[in-house]
């Protein structure tokens, strides 16, 4: 999505799904698009309906953000479990 692409809606199984595709046809996750949009790093041409495919432009700052490596996600079980207490065998209390 370095140069831009299209934001569009498609109907699958009776549901409207918003999708993002780059100019070369590569699909981009809607989460990535929304993260860029939230930070003002994409410009969406609202003069075109989502059904027709609204043109998206990525700002220079957005291109830089996309080029950065993403941080590794932490597993939810690690966060929920918290640290474990280890008691040595044979220790008296």
């Amino acid at each position: 999505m370095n140069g831009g692409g299209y934001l569009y809606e498609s109907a699958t199984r009776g549901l409207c799904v918003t999708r993002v595709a780059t100019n070369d046809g590569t699909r981009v996750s809607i989460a990535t698009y929304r993260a860029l949009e939230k930070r003002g790093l994409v410009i969406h041409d609202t003069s075109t309906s989502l059904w027709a495919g609204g043109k998206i432009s990525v700002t220079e700052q957005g291109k830089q953000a996309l080029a950065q490596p993403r941080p590794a996600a932490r597993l939810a079980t690690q966060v929920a479990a918290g640290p474990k207490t280890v008691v040595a065998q044979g220790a008296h209390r």
Side-chain angles (χ1 to χ4, degrees), residues 1-82:
M1 190 162 151
N2 285 339
Y6 296 92
L7 181 67
Y8 63 97
E9 285 190 346
S10 63
T12 36
R13 297 184 198 136
L15 302 173
C16 292
V17 178
T18 304
R19 300 191 186 272
V20 183
T22 63
N23 287 330
D24 67 2
T26 305
R27 290 184 183 172
V28 177
S29 76
I30 192 66
T32 299
Y33 171 77
R34 287 183 179 149
L36 291 170
E37 182 183 41
K38 180 179 177 181
R39 291 165 180 81
L41 301 177
V42 291
I43 300 165
H44 174 218
D45 177 10
T46 56
S47 66
T48 306
S49 131
L50 287 180
W51 292 104
K55 187 167 173 70
I56 299 168
S57 300
V58 181
T59 66
E60 191 58 42
Q61 294 86 358
K63 291 176 188 176
Q64 291 171 6
L66 287 169
Q68 297 295 318
R70 295 193 316 187
R74 295 183 65 185
L75 296 176
T77 55
Q78 289 176 335
V79 175

